Amino acid sequence: MPRVIITTSNNLLFDQRVNKITLSLEKAGLEVWRSGRNYPAIKPPENRPGRTILLNILFNKGPLFYLFLNIQTFIFLLFNKFDLIWAVDMDTLPAAKTAALLKRKPVIFDGHDFFSELPEIQHNKTIKKAWQLLEKTFLPGCDRYFTVSPGLVELYEKKYNINFRLLRNLPLEKDLTPLPPLDGDPKIILYQGALNVGRGIAQTIESLQFLSEEYRFVVVGTGDCAGELKELTKQLELEDRVNFTGPVPFEELYKYQKGALVGICTYEDLGLNHQYSLPNRLFDYLQAGIPVLTSNFPDMAEIVRNNETGLVIDNLEPQNVANAIKEACENRQLRKKWQETIPRAAKIFTWNNETRQLKDVKNLIK
């Protein structure tokens, strides 16, 4: 059976996209291995598809992390058989591309982000130029390209004249039709995903100051900003109203989604990567019957407006966020409408409807 190795830079605990790609490739008759790093040291559940290999990288962040990630990923690829490499994001492409060229095998690039436009590096010209150089060096010559939003498809084509296919990060369809509740006690606001810079989490915490005591904020995930967000919560004396769950396998997200009245999917304007983001949580909320509060950026706003599945806000001032949350949770006319529109959208935006883009992947293997 032909083998595909998917290369990533995380421990795969939270990566629903890689899990869904694995399922689709296995359905096409391919054996799938996934490589990542053993940090945080939380082993993914054993019942997931494919084989998971976690690498122990000496460093957790910074240039040395990326250097050792690629060295160890390359060594892993060099000493294991594969017929196709699926490289997730720019940070694993150098190792994947080099190994694929040496073994004369095809390589697919799956860009979840546009790395040189990540908000974390916009104020560091040296690091930004380094990622741009890596993009110019390693992006050309892959056998196929995927990315997650129409805006990123356009951006990659504009910057590097490369034709990307759109493969949105849609969820697997659930058996039960999601139905948004009309009300809740307490009123739960939900954020699920990485706790990284510029995702509107801090502003949502601050917005609780303008909302009544019945409002609670559940923050599911971990990330670089976790410590800062907890400190902010402490400073504002909101520790009894904000629940940080820590890292949670995606199989257990339903426990925190149940009863949530609104899901947060906002971004600050910190570069093109944020402007053209189309994160999986926007669609996960719909699949769980949760209206979405999102930023007025093209791809996210289009989904929410065209399908009437939430509210779009123009800025992340805490008072403005509080007003939108209150509207989403207390406007019964809106919530009754969402009981019609969200189940309809949940049936449209599913991975089963998106996998047509993967049907000919097997043809790349000679």
Side-chain angles (χ1 to χ4, degrees), residues 190-208:
L190 176 66
Y191 174 89
Q192 62 181 57
L195 310 189
N196 290 341
V197 64
R199 296 194 175 193
I201 309 169
Q203 291 89 335
T204 304
I205 292 171
E206 293 175 353
S207 76
L208 292 175

Side-chain angles (χ1 to χ4, degrees), residues 29-200:
L30 300 170
E31 179 187 7
V32 183
W33 290 15
R34 297 90 59 89
S35 72
R37 60 164 170 162
N38 192 26
Y39 182 85
I42 304 171
K43 188 177 181 181
E46 294 181 357
N47 59 348
R48 290 186 182 175
R51 178 181 174 185
T52 299
I53 296 92
L54 298 179
L55 306 173
N56 291 306
I57 311 297
L58 293 175
F59 301 89
N60 294 326
K61 59 183 180 180
L64 287 175
F65 161 69
Y66 293 109
L67 175 62
F68 278 85
L69 168 70
N70 277 275
I71 290 173
Q72 291 177 237
T73 300
F74 174 73
I75 292 172
F76 165 71
L77 293 170
L78 192 63
F79 290 99
N80 285 280
K81 172 188 173 295
F82 61 84
D83 300 283
L84 171 69
I85 300 180
W86 186 294
V88 172
D89 276 327
M90 195 61 229
D91 54 356
T92 69
L93 185 59
K97 185 85 173 290
T98 304
L101 287 172
L102 282 174
K103 293 193 175 185
R104 298 183 181 180
K105 300 295 183 181
V107 59
I108 290 174
F109 175 71
D110 184 13
H112 300 186
D113 293 291
F114 201 107
F115 256 59
S116 62
E117 292 294 337
L118 286 172
E120 293 88 345
I121 67 171
Q122 294 311 299
H123 300 295
N124 192 318
K125 293 182 179 180
T126 301
I127 293 178
K128 182 169 183 172
K129 286 182 179 179
W131 282 115
Q132 289 174 331
L133 177 61
L134 288 171
E135 288 169 351
K136 291 176 183 178
T137 303
F138 290 100
L139 274 177
C142 293
D143 296 271
R144 188 149 300 164
Y145 300 88
F146 294 104
T147 193
V148 296
S149 74
L152 288 182
V153 168
E154 184 178 341
L155 185 60
Y156 273 117
E157 183 173 357
K158 180 180 178 181
K159 289 218 169 190
Y160 296 113
N161 196 29
I162 295 175
N163 181 27
F164 273 69
R165 295 187 183 188
L166 177 63
L167 185 66
R168 294 172 298 182
N169 211 350
L170 305 186
L172 297 170
E173 187 173 358
K174 295 182 179 178
D175 295 332
L176 298 176
T177 301
L179 190 66
L182 288 178
D183 202 354
D185 184 20
K187 298 185 187 301
I188 301 297
I189 310 158
L190 176 66
Y191 174 89
Q192 62 181 57
L195 310 189
N196 290 341
V197 64
R199 296 194 175 193

Side-chain angles (χ1 to χ4, degrees), residues 6-16 18-19 33-37 39 42 44-45 48 51-54 250:
I6 303 175
T7 61
T8 77
S9 60
N10 62 59
N11 79 338
L12 301 169
L13 180 69
F14 323 106
D15 205 323
Q16 295 190 65
V18 169
N19 187 68
W33 290 15
R34 297 90 59 89
S35 72
R37 60 164 170 162
Y39 182 85
I42 304 171
R48 290 186 182 175
R51 178 181 174 185
T52 299
I53 296 92
L54 298 179
F250 54 76

Side-chain angles (χ1 to χ4, degrees), residues 204-221:
T204 304
I205 292 171
E206 293 175 353
S207 76
L208 292 175
Q209 300 171 101
F210 306 102
L211 295 166
S212 59
E213 290 283 335
E214 61 186 329
Y215 282 90
R216 300 287 189 273
F217 187 25
V218 178
V219 183
V220 182

